[in-house]
Amino acid sequence: KELKKLAREGYWASSRALRAQVYHQLIQQVPCRLVTPDALVYRDVASRLFGKLSVSSHPLPEFLEGCSMPTYCLNLEGVTALKKILICVGNMFPDITYSPILPSLVALLLHYSEDEAQCFENISRLIASNTPHTSYIDQSFLAHQASCMTFGDLANKHCPAAHKLIANTSENVFEVYSEWLSWLFLDLPFNYAIRVFDVYLLEGQKVLYRIALALLKQYRLSVTSVEQEGTDVKADLQAFVQNIAEHVTVDKLLEKAFGIRLFSRKEIWLLQMANRKALKQRGITMVQSRQSFHLAVDMQNFSSSIVTAQEMRIIWSWIPERFSLYPPLLLFSTSEDGCSLQRFYTCCEGYEPTVLLIKTTEGEVCGAFLSSDWSERKKSGATSCFFGTGECFVFTV
């Protein structure tokens, strides 16, 4: 607890030597796989790889294809060291297939490492971490996409105003949220990113969700809905994060982040696993490179007498990300199936989850998202007074 407090308050931010010492000690305590390459292995592999040929003659690992390479103020020598470490990581960890966050983490660690070998050893320990219910670095496209979907779920729950703004102005909400890690380790200025790194090393990926949510809340405070007409939200958010110093200090940002009442580490991990499972069902695998898919409702072919396509897109953005991967299927409609409640149950039982849309005689629209099958109501013998999970919700449009 004391360490967490020191990290959150930036206790070792004033001394480079202290921060370097803390980083090394924290990472050495991360439980990791039995055979994890260390500094000695790096020296051996590096001399074998770069003994005769220059770094530039070696391509960067495939897992960095299409990824940005932030250098965080490193000089030419530092950039060369960064590339060498990444090439050695690719050599020693052939199971990594996609990891856009890795160059940023190595670049930040290099500033506080004795040499390349120590930096390599520390990043290797984070990659090979086997701490229960926590992870430091996503290492496949599947894991990366699942964490982006998990962030979307959390943003919907914890930043409803920002979420509504994005859903209103963006064709694909998921595309905006898929940049969440880039806000932290690409767009944030160095003095903010390194403070994020302080708490991340101590507390794992969960704190990254917190800080990205705090950025999203702050972004919503800085804009009005009127300004957003016709704006490219993705680019606007990126510009906002790059100029964050004009809006909030790093201390205030972290204070706001840790003020959010987030799920436990285990609950977030379970949400990530559920999102992974849904992605696997859609054919996203561990070993493939990037593959695009859409979470949006097909607006061209959507028609309803209750809501407009735009309203449906907003409703679709509220439901958990893993379910919004699938196009909606109409199960029951009073205009076609009549107004019998029994017929409604018959048509809807056997399907989960479902979205219920209701239009009153006054023209008001409301509804509910049900994560469980309607037949659940009969499970406990007599009809249950309630059923479902914590993901169920009611709404008005």
Side-chain angles (χ1 to χ4, degrees), residues 101-395:
I101 193 179
L102 211 46
S104 302
L105 301 184
V106 175
L108 289 169
L109 257 181
L110 255 175
H111 280 280
Y112 299 94
S113 299
E114 281 176 14
D115 55 16
E116 291 167 26
Q118 190 193 64
C119 183
F120 171 83
E121 178 174 320
N122 284 338
I123 202 73
S124 294
R125 291 188 70 83
L126 294 180
I127 291 168
S129 160
N130 56 12
T131 315
H133 305 139
T134 190
S135 65
Y136 286 96
I137 301 168
D138 291 332
Q139 295 164 45
S140 68
F141 183 71
L142 175 71
H144 174 72
Q145 292 296 87
S147 68
C148 292
M149 288 170 69
T150 302
F151 179 74
D153 287 328
L154 297 173
N156 185 8
K157 181 177 171 62
H158 295 283
C159 311
H163 180 79
K164 189 178 177 186
L165 180 77
I166 292 167
N168 264 320
T169 51
S170 174
E171 276 298 311
N172 189 345
V173 181
F174 180 72
E175 209 177 298
V176 177
Y177 290 148
S178 66
E179 297 293 312
W180 78 281
L181 276 169
S182 299
W183 303 341
L184 303 175
F185 291 124
L186 180 62
D187 301 327
L188 272 183
F190 178 82
N191 59 324
Y192 281 69
I194 200 68
R195 289 287 300 278
V196 172
F197 197 66
D198 287 348
V199 288
Y200 157 77
L201 276 188
L202 200 58
E203 303 182 54
Q205 201 182 41
K206 184 181 170 183
V207 297
L208 302 185
Y209 288 124
R210 284 185 174 282
I211 297 159
L213 289 171
L215 285 167
L216 199 57
K217 282 176 178 270
Q218 206 59 38
Y219 170 71
R220 179 64 190 93
L221 293 173
S222 74
V223 295
T224 67
S225 306
V226 182
E227 283 174 351
Q228 286 305 102
E229 292 300 319
T231 303
D232 177 353
V233 174
K234 200 168 150 185
D236 202 40
L237 245 164
Q238 184 183 26
F240 170 80
V241 175
Q242 286 168 349
N243 299 302
I244 189 69
E246 295 172 15
H247 304 277
V248 64
T249 64
V250 66
D251 286 307
K252 199 74 188 156
L253 180 69
L254 290 177
E255 189 186 310
K256 286 174 183 287
F258 289 106
I260 298 169
R261 289 176 64 86
L262 210 54
F263 297 140
S264 73
R265 191 178 289 183
K266 187 176 179 181
E267 284 170 317
I268 288 179
W269 180 77
L270 289 170
L271 192 55
Q272 279 179 321
M273 292 303 109
N275 283 327
R276 267 192 199 209
K277 190 179 171 188
L279 285 165
K280 277 184 181 171
Q281 287 169 348
R282 287 303 298 271
I284 304 289
T285 66
M286 290 294 283
V287 292
Q288 74 196 52
S289 55
R290 303 173 71 165
Q291 175 186 326
S292 61
F293 58 87
H294 293 285
L295 297 170
V297 180
D298 179 3
M299 293 301 155
Q300 268 63 46
N301 299 316
F302 178 79
S303 67
S304 165
S305 56
I306 297 181
V307 288
T308 64
Q310 164 75 354
E311 287 167 339
M312 188 57 182
R313 196 173 76 205
I314 291 170
I315 292 166
W316 215 238
S317 82
W318 291 334
I319 73 175
E321 294 278 3
R322 63 186 183 279
F323 299 131
S324 59
L325 282 166
Y326 304 94
L329 168 73
L330 184 65
L331 298 176
F332 175 88
S333 160
T334 49
S335 56
E336 290 172 26
D337 302 295
C339 293
S340 157
L341 188 61
Q342 201 49 53
R343 174 135 179 81
F344 166 78
Y345 288 144
T346 306
C347 290
C348 296
E349 281 175 6
Y351 294 92
E352 65 175 38
T354 49
V355 174
L356 175 66
L357 289 169
I358 300 166
K359 194 171 202 170
T360 69
T361 50
E362 300 290 312
E364 297 159 322
V365 176
C366 60
F369 168 74
L370 290 100
S371 57
S372 303
D373 190 329
W374 283 90
S375 61
E376 286 279 325
R377 73 190 197 287
K378 299 183 291 192
K379 283 280 167 75
S380 56
T383 306
S384 304
C385 54
F386 66 86
F387 63 96
T389 70
E391 287 184 310
C392 300
F393 61 89
V394 292
F395 59 86

Side-chain angles (χ1 to χ4, degrees), residues 16-83:
R16 188 192 167 283
L18 178 60
R19 188 179 250 148
Q21 192 186 344
V22 168
Y23 281 5
H24 188 62
Q25 286 192 17
L26 285 177
I27 295 172
Q28 288 301 309
Q29 288 171 23
V30 170
C32 54
R33 298 197 288 264
L34 199 59
V35 183
T36 299
D38 58 12
L40 287 171
V41 170
Y42 176 79
R43 291 190 184 101
D44 182 47
V45 173
S47 66
R48 196 158 33 87
L49 284 174
F50 311 113
K52 298 183 183 77
L53 300 167
S54 68
V55 175
S56 56
S57 63
H58 290 267
L60 283 170
E62 273 184 35
F63 66 76
L64 294 177
E65 192 187 329
C67 302
S68 302
M69 185 73 80
T71 54
Y72 288 122
C73 326
L74 291 172
N75 59 20
L76 196 58
E77 193 186 340
V79 173
T80 304
L82 169 64
K83 288 178 180 172

